[in-house]
Amino acid sequence: MRAVFVSNYINHHQIPFCNAMSRLLQGEFVFVQTERMEAERVRMGWHEQERPAYVHVFREEEAYCRKLISDCDMVLFGGTDDESYIGERLKAGKPVIRISERLYKTGQWKAVSPRGLRKKYLDHTRYRKAPVYLLCAGAYVPSDFHIVRAYPGKMYCWGYFPETKYYDQDALLEQKGYGEEKLPYLLWAARMIDWKHPELPIETAKYLKDKNLAFHMDVIGDGELGAKIRGLAQHYGLEDSVRFLGYQAPEDVRSYMEKANIFLLTSDRQEGWGAVANEAMNSGCALVAGHMAGAVPYLIEHKTNGMIYEDGNTKHLFGLTETLVTDKILCRQLGKNACKTILEVWNAENAAKQLYRLMRNILNLENPESDDKRAQEGSFPKMIPCAPAPVLSERNARKKYRNRT
């Protein structure tokens, strides 16, 4: 079987999965890159590294790439809005697996737009009976596509799969330290833009300080809100508790995660996935995350391998964080279970194996559409890569995660 992955550019979040696919398909895997990496990503340390042998750049080898896309057994299509790359293949009725984040990151109310609905029909809905399938890179993706009546019975759980490090878990947790003399170490890492909510770790730190709780917090990243956030921390008198580290290379961020006890993921609904969640969990951090970030309902079971707060409810965020700061036994257990989740389920090797199985089913079955009835509103199968994706409405999600202690 030959598979071609068409996406905007190769980066450190995609390489582990692509490497796993290349090994699994014994070299019969190609990544077609369609764009250059944005300058902001490069500044953050996302360097265009030496290309793996399976990467081909469309603008450099257009004829070759078009032939690959047309003739291969399966195309994985994601990370580009230009349908022309797969137009001929769709017209010929050849199988395609799309990989998509949310359609309506800023609000499902946008589904009422006639112009938007027409584009969704042309790109998606008209293929509801064709051999076109959807890998949902985020728990709210199925709800968005359900609105436009696309991919019925053909949507599957998916995500991002950054590098998985295979630690000795006991040794990893030992270096974090959970003794009485060890200050709880909190970490936040992201671009400082509005929907990542960099103000929330600072507000959380103020809450903990007002409670007379001892802790240390590192804040990694910068951006348009950087000066404002640093000023807020100074205004609250947090200089002794909060340290700003600016942008760090991805490998250095992981090093900080390996030392941290608690990781705060404060992004709102515009966070399609949030690969930092995978990395923090892999590093044994107890994650406190807002429920609207796409990765959260797939990766986290509340109070088992992390904590989920209701998005927008700052008191809920503060309370769950306080629980972990004061209950070091619980914090350690959640961190251990988080690491186990990544090592056993949500990693590139397992994702490649599950996708390979799905591709074989699509290519070999006379009627590959899933008749699995579990993927219905409010009914959740085991959340693993390529499991039938449940339709999780935003309303039901908010009810599910509201004020959980």
Side-chain angles (χ1 to χ4, degrees), residues 14 170 173 178 208 216 254 279 296 321 361 370 383 405:
Q14 291 171 320
D170 290 333
L173 294 173
Y178 290 90
L208 296 174
H216 174 76
R254 289 297 293 265
E279 295 170 326
V296 171
T321 306
N361 286 341
S370 170
M383 298 300 188
T405 58

Side-chain angles (χ1 to χ4, degrees), residues 44 87 102 167 170 181 190 255 294 323 346 362-363 377 392:
M44 291 170 62
R102 298 200 63 172
Y167 302 100
D170 290 333
E181 73 288 349
S255 179
T323 295
W346 282 93
I362 290 171
L363 294 171
E377 182 83 25
L392 174 61

Side-chain angles (χ1 to χ4, degrees), residues 155-158 298 354 372 374 381-390:
M155 295 188 285
Y156 302 91
C157 298
W158 198 245
Y298 280 0
Q354 299 299 332
D372 195 315
R374 295 176 300 171
K382 185 178 181 182
M383 298 300 188
I384 65 172
C386 293

Side-chain angles (χ1 to χ4, degrees), residues 108 140 143 291-292 376-380 391-402 404:
Q108 290 183 332
Y140 302 99
S143 178
H291 84 273
M292 285 301 293
Q376 301 295 328
E377 182 83 25
S379 177
F380 294 87
V391 178
L392 174 61
S393 74
E394 295 184 14
R395 178 184 298 177
N396 281 1
R398 192 165 292 279
K399 289 180 181 177
K400 179 181 175 70
Y401 297 115
R402 181 171 292 147
R404 281 191 163 189

Side-chain angles (χ1 to χ4, degrees), residues 120-156:
K120 302 303 182 293
Y121 173 80
L122 292 174
D123 291 352
H124 304 287
T125 311
R126 62 172 168 164
Y127 300 110
R128 58 188 283 124
K129 295 185 178 180
V132 186
Y133 307 82
L134 183 68
L135 296 181
C136 302
Y140 302 99
V141 176
S143 178
D144 285 358
F145 280 94
H146 183 70
I147 289 173
V148 299
R149 301 179 182 274
Y151 311 111
K154 298 188 294 181
M155 295 188 285
Y156 302 91

Side-chain angles (χ1 to χ4, degrees), residues 59-116:
R59 67 179 181 274
E60 297 174 359
E61 306 174 83
E62 181 173 343
Y64 176 68
C65 289
R66 285 195 184 279
K67 183 170 175 56
L68 281 174
I69 293 168
S70 175
D71 294 348
C72 69
D73 298 296
M74 184 65 70
V75 164
L76 309 175
F77 186 66
T80 173
D81 292 327
D82 189 346
E83 296 289 302
S84 67
Y85 296 106
I86 57 170
E88 292 183 10
R89 187 175 180 91
L90 291 171
K91 195 177 297 183
K94 296 180 179 180
V96 172
I97 298 178
R98 291 179 179 270
I99 303 173
S100 179
E101 293 186 7
R102 298 200 63 172
L103 292 176
Y104 303 115
K105 285 186 177 181
T106 56
Q108 290 183 332
W109 60 269
K110 290 191 172 183
V112 302
S113 163
R115 183 177 179 182

Side-chain angles (χ1 to χ4, degrees), residues 29-286:
F29 173 81
V30 176
F31 184 100
V32 173
Q33 178 171 305
T34 63
E35 303 172 16
R36 294 183 182 276
M37 188 178 293
E38 304 106 310
E40 183 180 11
R41 299 286 187 184
V42 174
R43 287 197 299 273
M44 291 170 62
W46 292 31
H47 303 300
E48 285 197 84
Q49 302 164 345
E50 183 178 345
R51 295 173 191 161
Y54 53 72
V55 175
H56 293 266
V57 179
F58 191 88
R59 67 179 181 274
E60 297 174 359
E61 306 174 83
E62 181 173 343
Y64 176 68
C65 289
R66 285 195 184 279
K67 183 170 175 56
L68 281 174
I69 293 168
S70 175
D71 294 348
C72 69
D73 298 296
M74 184 65 70
V75 164
L76 309 175
F77 186 66
T80 173
D81 292 327
D82 189 346
E83 296 289 302
S84 67
Y85 296 106
I86 57 170
E88 292 183 10
R89 187 175 180 91
L90 291 171
K91 195 177 297 183
K94 296 180 179 180
V96 172
I97 298 178
R98 291 179 179 270
I99 303 173
S100 179
E101 293 186 7
R102 298 200 63 172
L103 292 176
Y104 303 115
K105 285 186 177 181
T106 56
Q108 290 183 332
W109 60 269
K110 290 191 172 183
V112 302
S113 163
R115 183 177 179 182
L117 286 174
R118 174 166 174 75
K119 178 168 173 54
K120 302 303 182 293
Y121 173 80
L122 292 174
D123 291 352
H124 304 287
T125 311
R126 62 172 168 164
Y127 300 110
R128 58 188 283 124
K129 295 185 178 180
V132 186
Y133 307 82
L134 183 68
L135 296 181
C136 302
Y140 302 99
V141 176
S143 178
D144 285 358
F145 280 94
H146 183 70
I147 289 173
V148 299
R149 301 179 182 274
Y151 311 111
K154 298 188 294 181
M155 295 188 285
Y156 302 91
C157 298
W158 198 245
Y160 289 88
F161 306 94
E163 179 188 4
T164 298
K165 294 188 176 182
Y166 290 87
Y167 302 100
D168 177 323
Q169 293 182 59
D170 290 333
L172 174 65
L173 294 173
E174 185 67 28
Q175 80 171 22
K176 292 175 180 289
Y178 290 90
E180 290 296 327
E181 73 288 349
K182 170 72 164 56
L183 284 180
Y185 176 17
L186 289 77
L187 182 64
W188 184 93
R191 288 176 291 158
M192 290 189 180
I193 55 179
D194 58 355
W195 55 269
K196 299 278 189 179
H197 294 285
E199 77 282 1
L200 289 180
I202 307 306
E203 298 289 352
T204 302
K206 179 182 184 299
Y207 172 87
L208 296 174
K209 182 178 180 180
D210 289 347
K211 286 275 188 171
N212 293 316
L213 295 172
F215 68 95
H216 174 76
M217 178 184 291
D218 277 342
V219 175
I220 295 176
D222 211 330
E224 60 192 46
L225 297 179
K228 179 179 179 180
I229 299 305
R230 290 187 288 272
L232 183 64
Q234 186 175 21
H235 174 70
Y236 287 153
L238 296 172
E239 293 91 342
D240 293 339
S241 302
V242 178
R243 178 174 62 167
F244 291 90
L245 300 175
Y247 284 132
Q248 299 287 323
E251 58 272 20
D252 294 328
V253 176
R254 289 297 293 265
S255 179
Y256 284 105
M257 288 176 174
E258 289 164 0
K259 299 178 180 67
N261 306 112
I262 301 165
F263 188 90
L264 303 179
L265 176 62
T266 57
S267 300
D268 63 27
R269 60 179 300 124
Q270 294 188 66
E271 186 72 82
W273 179 258
V276 70
N278 303 60
E279 295 170 326
M281 292 174 72
N282 182 204
S283 302
C285 296

